[in-house]
């Protein structure tokens, strides 16, 4: 498990490792305001490597929160180590909306299987390598598109919300009634 | 012993009386058990039907009589209906040699206990058939458990009784009672404490009561072998369970607690008081303990009760040889 | 098949059916599960209606004799699409839903959602409100653990203790009813405070309750914890070490029983938890017994917090002066807030685009991750042990299914 | 050897458990046996039951509701219907579907005139869904008929307390069925 040490050194180490896995837009938002200490956008194909490294560091997958934006599906992996207050939010942007596919991190975090199945249920995001990608919470024969996908008109832009930036939200997307009549 | 008409009439009356006793016992015990469970759990138990809820058991049995009997698809019809009947009727026979009072024995036979032990095995057969015939996986698991549990626990049960039989030198139940004195320290309980303890544990296991209620383990197998039974089928299983409890309690009273003998005024009331005390003990532990696991159940038997009962038998034999 | 006429069948049909898969027409999940089964093994559906699956969980198990070879929980029987509901209601209107996500520990969910909204909106919470939040959350934790305790012992066949647990639970319900007005699905928190202030009776009842509960814990110990049957049923059953917990994301008492001091109250102090002196119990063993002991210790620690809390009660308002109205709009942005619930880390992730309703609400249920661990922990155990493991995970199905 | 000793000690633990349950067997029951006994008044008073309209300060027979529809908009379950009357601001219809209500209190908190409050009807029973569609104006009229004068709040509290005392006294008389609580009957 990761040694307890200087928080700054730890942050630098994790930053460096994540950069090594091809992380982009690495930011450290104020944990008091957003709840995460480090946020990064990862390339989907390197996510598994990164999670294997993080597992060795003593990190745990808390949850996997998917959200649909104009740019694509943003899959946020929230990870925590429980030994020190340093929560990570690693994001994978699945750009192809027609066939959203991203590799599964099941080999590292077996608990991700269910979270991925849940995202598959709600958004139709396919996680390649998940051993049992069948509907988990919804009936297997549910008609229609995945229920949490939004009406294209109601979609917000990722950049306008600024959740991948420094946390400071810009004016934008205001007045849109998100999901009221999502498909 | 010649077979005469009078003799048959006596047996017939005895059988009818035993049926009445079994049904009456079930009704009383359902009430007592529910009331005791309620009081232990600090709630009033049955309360609404009749004064203090005394009519609850009768009303419940009426309900069971009126209920539709549900037969699952692909169930084996004959065995499915045969099983509850098989559970109930052999128990009738088992009450025949029990000496309720000094002259109150249905069938005075020199080998009464052999009869009881021989026919006691029928109960588990009905459990097996019921579980098997109802085409239910829980039922089959329950039936399998019932068989191995019953077979395992019959051995220490017999060995524990055998020690008493050695001591009394007879298989006749009345004579075993006669061999004991009137006062509690003259009972077999005192000179055979280990046998009494082994018998007590085995009787709980033989009657499938908690903490040894594995064949019907509610939280694991929903209801075990009688999962698919409803209405009268269920009622008969229920009746058989209480009848079995009553039987082993009577045997316990006869063998270890001095039967119909008591400090004052021997009579059948002593048998009943003692048997019902044993029944209350069974009820009491049911509402106190969690259930054991199946391998533990068998371990208790093969690793503890069986060696202990053999040891007990051995010591008894030596002592008898030395003294007598 | 309606059985109107007598059909005499081969008694071995039961075995034959098992030998040729496909004879039984199972549903989608049974068929899916059956693909991996060995011929001759029995596939058993535990649930959705089963006495020990606490609600409507369904677990498919492959049995060899009584040994569980493989198992797979099937969820969704109580799925209510809480996350979608969050997208069509304003945050204020969505708040009552939090009491329904986990009906045994609603205060933690109240706090997770209210906390996430406050974090996003930058709302300050008055001191008195924080005090009320801590006290109600700890009371709720005790009541949740009590019900788990009773239900767990019932899974193991002891029917009586759950009714003793309910005595204490009723007392806690009486206390919480004073401030929340309800007895089960509390909707107590508001953005920037709590719904109602406490009166003197609230404090008095807590003062009475703490010593009473300590006495009862002694009885619990004598009746259940030290009982030989109970100990033999739990010791060494279902070990879940730190590694497996990390891989599956298990939190709460399961992770703590594995020896990791993971507690959000300590790690990311929220509310006024940093004022109180309490320990985070970690388990002596990582088996069912360890998890059991950790939860009982947690009741004691919660009592300690309550004892300190009633000693020093802050004054002031119980809600901020300009509390958000029902039509309150969230500012655009994202926030993530975690709370230590009775079952583990409860988290709420809100993304807002500044519209009338939140853009996305993700609820992280601890039971969801904890249950995903079951399949691995139950492998190769006896059926009765699998039930004990299932019970030791402390599942609340509405929370798992959301 | 140690295992054997453990098992023998375990038998003692079983006896301890049996002692506990036999003591409970002979100790008094904890259940409040509902039709014969009721819970203390104090416990009922803070219970949030179905909504009711409060009585106006000036005219105790009228509701202070001004039909502003704020509660209708605030309600997450859409269970409130308020129709404005022809004269003034007073409502002519105020119905509320209790089967959809989640008792969250959004309406009570948004009401600008304090016209809404939670009742304390613990013993409310309905036999069908239609019975749960409550007409609060009729309910208010019922209450006005019962006690035309508006009691001051402090009086009501002390009254409740004294009643609770008599209740507890009645309960103390062992087994004697306590007199029925002064609860308002549920609107049929």
């Amino acid at each position: 498990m990761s040694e307890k040490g200087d928080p700054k050194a730890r942050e630098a180490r994790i930053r460096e490792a994540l950069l090594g896995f091809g992380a982009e837009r690495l930011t450290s938002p104020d944990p008091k305001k957003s709840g995460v200490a480090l946020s990064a956008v990862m390339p989907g194909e390197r996510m598994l490597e990164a999670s294997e490294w993080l597992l060795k560091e003593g990190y745990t997958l808390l949850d996997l929160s998917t959200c649909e934006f104009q740019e694509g599906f943003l899959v946020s992996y929230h990870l925590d180590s429980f030994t020190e207050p340093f929560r990570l939010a690693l994001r994978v942007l699945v750009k192809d909306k027609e066939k959203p596919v991203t590799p599964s991190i099941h080999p590292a975090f077996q608990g991700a299987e269910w979270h991925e199945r849940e995202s598959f249920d709600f958004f139709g995001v396919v996680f390649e390598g998940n051993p049992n990608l069948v509907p988990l919470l919804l009936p297997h024969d549910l008609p229609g598109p995945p229920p949490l996908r939004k009406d294209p008109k109601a979609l917000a832009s990722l950049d306008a919300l600024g959740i991948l930036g420094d946390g400071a939200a810009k004016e934008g997307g205001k007045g849109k009634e998100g999901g009221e009549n999502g498909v | 012993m010649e077979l005469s008409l009078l003799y048959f009439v006596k047996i017939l009356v005895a059988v009818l009386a035993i049926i009445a006793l079994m049904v009456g016992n079930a009704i009383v015990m359902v009430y007592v058990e529910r009331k005791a469970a309620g009081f232990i759990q600090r709630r009033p138990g049955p309360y609404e039907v009749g004064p203090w809820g005394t009519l609850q058991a009768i009303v419940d049995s009426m309900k069971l009589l009126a209920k539709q009997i549900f037969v699952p698809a692909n169930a084996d019809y004959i065995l499915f209906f045969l099983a509850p009947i098989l559970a109930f009727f052999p128990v009738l026979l088992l009450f025949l040699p029990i000496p309720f009072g000094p002259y109150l024995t249905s069938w005075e036979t020199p080998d009464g206990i052999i009869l009881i032990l021989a026919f006691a095995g029928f109960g588990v057969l009905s459990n097996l058939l019921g579980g098997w015939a109802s085409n239910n996986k829980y039922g089959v698991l329950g039936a399998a458990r019932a068989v191995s549990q019953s077979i395992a626990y019959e051995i220490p049960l017999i060995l524990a009784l055998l020690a008493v039989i050695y001591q009394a030198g007879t298989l006749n139940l009345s004579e075993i009672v006669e061999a004991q004195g009137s006062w509690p320290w003259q009972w077999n309980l005192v000179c055979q404490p280990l046998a009494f303890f082994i018998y007590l544990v085995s009787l709980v296991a033989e009657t499938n009561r908690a903490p040894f209620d594995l064949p019907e383990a509610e939280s694991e197998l929903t209801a075990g072998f009688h999962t698919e039974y409803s209405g009268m089928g269920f009622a008969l299983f229920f009746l058989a369970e209480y009848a079995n409890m009553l039987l082993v309690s009577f045997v316990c009273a006869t063998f270890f607690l001095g039967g119909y003998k008591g400090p004052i005024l021997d009579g059948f009331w002593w048998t009943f008081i003692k048997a019902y005390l044993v029944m209350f003990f069974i009820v009491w532990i049911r509402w106190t303990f969690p259930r054991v696991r199946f391998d533990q159940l068998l371990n208790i038997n093969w690793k503890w009760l069986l060696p202990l009962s053999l040891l007990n038998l051995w010591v008894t034999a030596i002592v008898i040889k030395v003294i007598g | 098949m309606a059985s109107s006429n007598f059909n005499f069948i081969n008694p071995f049909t039961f075995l034959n059916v098992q030998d040729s898969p496909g004879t039984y027409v199972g549903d989608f999940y049974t068929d899916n599960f059956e693909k991996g089964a060995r011929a001759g093994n029995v596939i058993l559906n535990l649930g959705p209606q089963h006495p020990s699956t606490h609600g409507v969980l369904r677990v498919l198990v492959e049995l060899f004799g009584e040994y569980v070879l493989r198992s797979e929980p099937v969820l969704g029987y109580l799925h209510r699409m809480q996350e979608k509901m969050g997208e069509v209601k304003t945050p204020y209107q969505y708040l009552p839903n939090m009491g329904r996500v986990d009906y045994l520990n609603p205060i933690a969910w109240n706090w997770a959602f209210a906390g996430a909204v406050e974090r996003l909106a930058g709302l300050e919470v008055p001191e008195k409100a924080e005090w009320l939040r801590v006290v109600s959350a700890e009371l709720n934790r005790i009541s949740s653990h009590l019900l788990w305790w009773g239900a767990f012992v019932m899974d193991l066949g002891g029917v009586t203790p759950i009714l003793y647990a309910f005595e204490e639970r009723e007392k806690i319900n009486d206390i919480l009813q004073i401030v929340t007005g309800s007895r089960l699905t509390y909707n107590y928190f508001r953005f920037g405070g709590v719904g109602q202030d406490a009166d003197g009776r609230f404090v008095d009842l807590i003062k009475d309750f703490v010593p009473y509960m300590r006495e009862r814990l002694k009885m619990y110990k004598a009746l259940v914890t030290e009982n030989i049957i109970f100990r033999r049923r739990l010791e060494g059953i279902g070990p879940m070490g730190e590694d497996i917990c990390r891989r599956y994301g298990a939190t709460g008492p399961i992770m703590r029983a594995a020896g990791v001091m993971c507690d959000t109250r300590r790690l990311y102090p929220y509310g006024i938890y940093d004022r109180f002196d309490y320990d985070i119990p970690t388990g002596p063993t990582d088996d069912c017994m360890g998890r059991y002991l950790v939860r009982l210790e947690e009741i004691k620690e919660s009592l300690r917090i309550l004892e300190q809390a009633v000693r020093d009660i802050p004054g002031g308002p119980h809600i901020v002066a300009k509390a958000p109205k029902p039509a309150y709009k969230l500012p655009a942005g994202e926030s993530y807030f975690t709370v230590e619930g009775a079952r583990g880390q409860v988290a709420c992730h809100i993304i807002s685009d500044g519209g009338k309703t939140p853009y996305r609400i993700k609820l992280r249920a601890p039971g969801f991750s904890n249950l995903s661990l079951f399949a691995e922990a139950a492998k190769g155990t006896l059926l009765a042990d699998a039930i004990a493991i299932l019970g030791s995970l402390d599942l609340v199905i509405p929370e798992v299914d959301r | 050897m140690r295992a054997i000793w453990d098992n023998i000690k375990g038998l003692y633990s079983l006896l301890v458990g049996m002692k506990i349950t036999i003591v409970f067997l002979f100790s008094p029951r904890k259940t409040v046996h509902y039709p014969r006994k009721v819970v203390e008044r104090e416990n009922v008073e803070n219970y949030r039951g179905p909504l009711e309209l409060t009585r106006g300060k000036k005219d105790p027979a009228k509701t202070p509701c001004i039909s502003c529809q704020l509660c209708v908009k605030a309600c997450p379950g859409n269970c409130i219907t308020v129709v404005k009357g022809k004269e003034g601001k007073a409502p002519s219809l105020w119905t509320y579907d209790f089967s959809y209500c989640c008792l969250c209190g959004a309406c009570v908190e948004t009401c600008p005139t304090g016209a809404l409050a939670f009742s304390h009807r613990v013993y409310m029973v309905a036999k069908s869904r239609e019975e749960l569609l409550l007409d609060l104006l009729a309910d208010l009229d019922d209450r006005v008929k019962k006690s035309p004068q508006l009691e001051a709040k402090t009086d009501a509290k002390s009254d409740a307390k004294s009643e609770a005392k008599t209740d507890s006294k009645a309960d103390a008389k062992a087994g004697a069925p306590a007199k029925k609580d002064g609860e308002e009957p549920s609107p049929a």
Side-chain angles (χ1 to χ4, degrees), chain D:
Chain D
M1 200 60 211
R2 228 185 116 203
I4 292 172
W5 179 236
D6 267 8
N7 284 343
I8 290 166
K9 265 201 300 189
L11 284 178
Y12 174 71
S13 78
L14 297 183
L15 289 180
V16 171
M18 286 172 74
K19 193 194 143 215
I20 288 172
T21 45
I22 200 81
V23 167
F24 279 133
L25 180 72
F26 294 111
S27 57
R29 258 49 73 207
K30 285 270 176 173
T31 316
V32 179
H33 216 130
Y34 164 57
R36 298 169 194 90
K37 276 187 193 174
V38 287
V39 294
E40 306 109 53
R41 188 73 188 215
E42 281 171 320
N43 254 344
V44 178
E45 274 205 335
N46 45 38
Y47 178 80
R48 291 199 318 213
L51 286 178
E52 63 183 16
L53 290 172
T54 54
R55 299 162 72 166
K57 270 176 196 151
K58 285 176 195 162
D59 183 2
K62 290 266 164 63
T63 164
C65 176
I66 51 169
S67 316
C68 64
Q69 311 285 337
L70 272 180
C71 50
V72 180
K73 278 176 203 151
C75 181
N78 297 332
C79 57
I80 301 174
T81 317
V82 182
V83 176
K84 201 178 159 194
K86 277 176 187 159
E87 59 216 64
K89 286 175 173 175
S92 63
L93 177 75
W94 215 113
T95 58
Y96 151 66
D97 193 345
F98 188 45
S99 55
Y100 288 120
C101 179
C102 63
L103 296 168
C104 64
C107 45
V108 177
E109 276 161 35
T110 46
C111 186
T113 58
L116 283 171
F118 285 114
S119 68
H120 311 306
R121 288 180 198 142
V122 183
Y123 304 111
M124 180 181 166
V125 175
K127 285 173 189 157
S128 69
R129 230 162 222 233
E130 287 72 42
E131 281 177 40
L132 286 173
L133 189 69
L134 306 178
D135 185 350
L136 294 197
L137 281 176
D139 171 51
L140 181 71
D141 286 347
D142 277 357
R143 277 185 291 138
V144 167
K145 260 179 221 160
K146 222 181 264 172
S147 57
Q149 291 306 312
L150 181 74
E151 315 106 5
K153 256 203 164 174
T154 48
D155 285 357
K157 258 191 184 171
S158 62
D159 187 43
K161 262 181 195 166
S162 65
E163 224 171 288
K165 265 180 198 166
T166 52
D167 265 14
S168 60
K169 265 180 205 164
D171 287 2
K173 281 177 202 166
K179 73 170 166 105
K180 246 204 150 175
D181 194 318
E183 265 307 301
E184 294 149 29
S186 61

Side-chain angles (χ1 to χ4, degrees), chain B residues 92-209:
Chain B
L92 279 181
L93 203 60
L94 304 183
F95 277 96
L96 287 179
I98 302 270
F100 294 104
Y103 305 104
L104 200 64
T105 312
S106 318
W107 183 27
E108 195 73 52
T109 163
D111 22 58
I113 189 63
I114 301 271
L115 182 83
I116 290 177
L117 292 174
F119 281 95
F122 262 105
V124 67
L125 187 66
S126 68
N127 293 357
L128 171 67
L129 290 182
W132 176 265
S134 51
N135 187 28
N136 183 309
K137 293 170 188 174
Y138 292 119
V140 173
L141 282 171
R145 283 178 172 194
V147 172
S148 41
Q149 173 177 342
S150 180
I151 287 175
Y153 273 86
E154 240 160 51
I155 299 166
L157 185 123
I158 292 173
L159 289 178
L161 293 182
L162 212 52
V164 179
I165 293 167
Y166 273 17
Q167 205 186 330
T170 173
L171 290 168
N172 188 328
L173 291 167
S174 303
E175 286 170 26
I176 289 171
V177 174
E178 285 303 326
Q180 303 173 60
S182 294
W183 294 93
W185 54 86
Q186 292 167 323
W187 296 346
N188 282 339
L189 170 67
V190 178
C191 51
Q192 293 282 1
L194 191 59
F196 177 68
F197 174 73
I198 291 166
Y199 181 77
L200 215 53
V201 176
S202 315
L203 80 83
V204 177
E206 275 290 299
T207 49
N208 298 338
R209 298 278 301 184

Side-chain angles (χ1 to χ4, degrees), chain A residues 5 13 18 20 22 25 38 42 45 52 55 67 74 102 109 118 129 131 134 136 150-151 154 160 167 171-172 178:
Chain A
R13 196 179 69 243
L18 288 180
R25 300 174 80 165
L38 190 65
M42 305 288 294
E45 58 274 12
E52 267 163 0
L55 178 64
C67 189
L74 185 75
T102 183
F109 293 112
E118 191 191 315
V134 293
L136 180 69
K150 285 179 190 289
D151 190 1
E171 292 299 304

Side-chain angles (χ1 to χ4, degrees), chain B residues 8 24 38 42 51 75 98 127 162 176 190 199 209 218 241 260 269 271 282 289 298 300 306:
Chain B
F8 271 120
R42 311 189 79 180
I98 302 270
N127 293 357
L162 212 52
I176 289 171
V190 178
Y199 181 77
R209 298 278 301 184
E218 193 217 347
E241 184 184 321
Y260 48 75
W269 41 87
T271 328
I282 302 175
F289 299 139
L298 294 183
I300 293 171
L306 190 62

